[in-house]
């Protein structure tokens, strides 16, 4: 009798877990930023390791930042397991062995999505900053 109760409890727990997961997925898809279709103009500022910077004014039909960066030849098209991996921007290549990387920000705020998942809209300003060290607070 107790084995039946234990099995029933396990089934109920799994059903509740599945419902919670489905709810989380639905919430994610309802809240995720939507891309803007059509033509748009954005500005991407590349801030190099030596402190110099260069602005790229991009006119694009791309819906996501990664596509606009590659199309505008701001970065090299370096596809990784999770989409565009920015290793080279405006001709400067980060050396991962020295903990160098490109930090992507939008109006000075850290972008929490990968470049291929970051939707873009007309008039936005992004920064790619050459960064050294992996110690950072998000």
């Amino acid at each position: 009798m107790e084995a039946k109760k234990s099995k029933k409890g396990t089934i109920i727990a799994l059903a509740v877990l599945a419902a919670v997961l489905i709810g989380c997925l639905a919430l994610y898809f309802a809240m995720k930023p939507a891309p803007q279709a059509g033509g748009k103009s954005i500005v991407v500022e590349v801030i190099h390791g030596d402190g110099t910077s260069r602005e790229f004014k991009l006119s694009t039909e791309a819906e996501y930042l990664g596509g606009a960066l590659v199309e505008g030849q701001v970065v090299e098209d370096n596809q990784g397991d999770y989409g565009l991996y920015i290793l080279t921007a405006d001709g400067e290549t980060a050396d991962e062995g020295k903990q160098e990387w490109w930090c992507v920000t939008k109006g000075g705020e850290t972008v929490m999505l990968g470049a291929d998942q970051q939707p873009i809209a007309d008039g936005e300003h992004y920064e790619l900053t050459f960064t050294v060290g992996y110690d950072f607070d998000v």
Side-chain angles (χ1 to χ4, degrees), residues 47 49 94 98-104 129-134 136:
I47 304 165
K98 296 179 181 176
Q99 295 187 356
E100 297 173 349
W101 55 287
W102 290 98
C103 179
V104 181
T129 305
F130 187 86
T131 306
V132 179
Y134 296 139
F136 57 92

Side-chain angles (χ1 to χ4, degrees), residues 1-115:
M1 184 100 152
E2 274 195 41
K4 263 188 165 180
K5 283 184 180 180
S6 175
K7 188 175 182 180
K8 186 176 181 180
T10 302
I11 291 171
I12 290 171
L14 288 173
V16 168
L17 179 62
V20 168
L21 288 175
I22 289 170
C24 288
L25 282 173
L27 184 62
Y28 168 76
F29 285 109
M31 302 294 287
K32 88 175 188 180
Q36 178 184 11
K40 57 197 80 65
S41 295
I42 64 169
V43 175
V44 178
E45 181 179 4
V46 177
I47 304 165
H48 290 277
D50 64 3
T52 61
S53 67
R54 180 176 173 198
E55 278 194 354
F56 293 83
K57 295 177 182 181
L58 306 178
S59 294
T60 184
E61 295 275 332
E63 294 183 342
Y64 296 93
L65 182 60
L69 293 173
V70 171
E71 175 187 291
Q73 298 180 336
V74 178
V75 302
E76 289 184 6
D77 190 3
N78 183 30
Q79 294 295 319
D81 292 339
Y82 302 103
L84 178 66
Y85 181 71
I86 301 172
L87 192 59
T88 301
D90 191 26
E92 184 171 9
T93 301
D95 181 346
E96 294 173 290
K98 296 179 181 176
Q99 295 187 356
E100 297 173 349
W101 55 287
W102 290 98
C103 179
V104 181
T105 53
K106 175 182 169 187
E109 298 291 324
T110 302
V111 172
M112 301 309 257
L113 298 171

